[in-house]
Amino acid sequence: MEIDAWIGGYKVRSFPWIDGKTIYFNVQYYRTGQSLSQPPVWSKTVYITNDVAGRDMVENLAASLTEHVANMEIPVGRKIVLTAERSLKI
């Protein structure tokens, strides 16, 4: 579940948060050719509910999740918690 990689042109970090109830998921955007020693153009963080569905989303849908977070408008100072729901196929 820990991620520290480039996904779809974004720098992504993810790991279980210290509260044990959520997963930290951070997406950063750097301009093409920009040094990583400089701050990113923007950085967006969400927390994923740390349950079976949340872990599955982070592990198996990281690219889609990254794109979703990149397109979100997150107000400054607002903590966003995403909760996934699993449904059984019938």
Side-chain angles (χ1 to χ4, degrees), residues 66-81:
T66 298
E67 196 62 39
H68 179 68
V69 172
N71 289 310
M72 289 177 74
E73 290 187 28
I74 302 174
V76 175
R78 169 76 63 75
K79 180 179 179 179
I80 303 293
V81 178

Side-chain angles (χ1 to χ4, degrees), residues 45 49 72:
T45 299
T49 303
M72 289 177 74

Side-chain angles (χ1 to χ4, degrees), residues 52-88:
V52 173
R55 288 188 297 273
D56 182 56
M57 181 170 59
V58 171
E59 292 172 2
N60 298 310
L61 301 172
S64 297
L65 180 58
T66 298
E67 196 62 39
H68 179 68
V69 172
N71 289 310
M72 289 177 74
E73 290 187 28
I74 302 174
V76 175
R78 169 76 63 75
K79 180 179 179 179
I80 303 293
V81 178
L82 302 177
T83 301
E85 183 176 312
R86 285 180 88 171
S87 60
L88 299 174

Side-chain angles (χ1 to χ4, degrees), residues 3-50:
I3 299 172
D4 188 5
W6 289 91
I7 299 175
Y10 301 101
K11 179 70 173 141
V12 178
R13 290 195 65 220
S14 177
F15 51 85
W17 194 236
I18 57 176
D19 65 4
K21 298 176 184 177
T22 55
I23 301 165
Y24 173 88
F25 195 88
N26 177 260
V27 178
Q28 297 178 337
Y29 173 71
Y30 290 86
R31 286 186 185 88
T32 303
Q34 178 182 347
S35 170
L36 294 178
S37 64
Q38 298 175 347
V41 174
W42 55 256
S43 179
K44 297 180 181 182
T45 299
V46 298
Y47 298 85
I48 314 296
T49 303
N50 191 354

